[in-house]
Amino acid sequence: MKYSFAPNVPVTLPVANSHENFPVRRIYCVGKNYADHIVEMGGNAKRDEPVFFTKSAQTIVKNYSKIPYPRNTTNLHYEVELVVAIGPNGIFGYSVGLDMTRRDVQKIAKSKGGPWSRAKNFPNSAVCSNITPSDQVKIQNAEIKLLKNNEIVQKSNISKLIWSINEIISYLKHDMDLKEGDLIYTGTPAGVGAVLPGDILLGQIDGLEEINVEFV
Ligand code: MN
């Protein structure tokens, strides 16, 4: 095979407690999956169905990164989320993720009924910790938490997901082509808010390696 130019090197995430690296294929994201977050965004938790959107693998940011504040926004928001990593035999493992969002861009897109791509799928928008293999953790009742500059800003429990991990997986299998290498960001609880240069975000889920990044 002769390429016109050198192909991109696959994006990978380290696997915790091993020397393996997880090659990332696609990133699926679920919106509106915790009732308290739907309410804070002005929605109706009883009526609203979860929404799905995607990010490119190239938007991944690993632990301990310094992240440049993105262009074309004055309202960059954090959303801490459980990330499910899919392997050849189902769930491979879990990570702590930050679904970074240009909230001002999303607000304009929502008002015009336009796509969310520019609000969600921009450089450095998919922050993700190392992947903990699924056989090393019990995730169903794990606490999920985000600290901004050492202050807790988001706190909930994985048991509060409106659509469970298995329901999301079966939906995506039916609707898309969920395969090994895919990541699923499962949605964020209430407490989303703005990030500024100099802020440090620390995301934690019981039993998983934490995610720690700084915005510059
Ligand atoms: Mn999200």
Side-chain angles (χ1 to χ4, degrees):
M1 165 88 66
K2 183 170 165 44
Y3 293 108
S4 302
F5 48 86
N8 287 304
V9 175
V11 174
T12 60
L13 284 166
V15 177
N17 310 317
S18 103
H19 297 293
E20 286 182 16
N21 288 282
F22 179 95
V24 179
R25 194 181 81 106
R26 299 188 64 162
I27 305 174
Y28 295 102
C29 305
V30 186
K32 299 184 175 181
N33 209 15
Y34 289 85
D36 57 357
H37 174 61
I38 297 175
V39 171
E40 78 174 345
M41 297 301 287
N44 182 335
K46 288 207 175 83
R47 195 195 63 213
D48 289 0
E49 288 240 316
V51 295
F52 288 88
F53 57 94
T54 62
K55 298 189 189 232
S56 311
Q58 285 74 17
T59 64
I60 291 268
V61 183
K62 295 178 192 179
N63 204 6
Y64 300 122
S65 295
K66 287 186 192 297
I67 303 174
Y69 194 87
R71 294 185 294 268
N72 302 323
T73 183
T74 54
N75 198 19
L76 177 68
H77 271 207
Y78 51 75
E79 297 187 355
V80 71
E81 309 199 1
L82 170 69
V83 180
V84 179
I86 303 296
N89 306 308
I91 298 175
F92 178 93
Y94 304 101
S95 292
V96 189
L98 300 174
D99 165 20
M100 300 308 298
T101 302
R102 295 196 285 200
R103 195 69 76 197
D104 42 1
V105 174
Q106 186 191 35
K107 196 176 170 196
I108 293 166
K110 278 181 173 175
S111 73
K112 293 181 175 171
W116 289 10
S117 301
R118 288 191 55 248
K120 292 290 193 177
N121 188 13
F122 56 92
N124 303 312
S125 61
V127 180
C128 198
S129 73
N130 297 348
I131 297 173
T132 298
S134 55
D135 59 358
Q136 296 176 21
V137 63
K138 286 244 180 294
I139 210 72
Q140 282 72 17
N141 292 298
E143 188 176 83
I144 178 170
K145 210 161 52 178
L146 183 70
L147 293 88
K148 184 174 98 169
N149 304 328
N150 293 321
E151 192 181 313
I152 295 174
V153 287
Q154 292 191 273
K155 188 176 171 186
S156 188
N157 194 289
I158 301 305
S159 62
K160 293 188 177 172
L161 284 172
I162 295 172
W163 281 31
S164 70
I165 294 166
N166 286 335
E167 284 171 333
I168 294 165
I169 287 174
S170 63
Y171 181 94
L172 286 172
K173 268 189 177 162
H174 174 74
D175 194 53
M176 306 291 278
D177 61 340
L178 195 67
K179 281 169 72 168
E180 64 265 31
D182 289 347
L183 301 177
I184 306 169
Y185 281 63
T186 56
T188 196
V192 301
V195 183
L196 291 171
D199 285 343
I200 292 173
L201 296 181
L202 174 63
Q204 298 174 324
I205 296 175
D206 291 342
L208 304 186
E209 287 202 7
E210 58 190 27
I211 183 75
N212 188 333
V213 290
E214 179 183 355
F215 287 79
V216 295

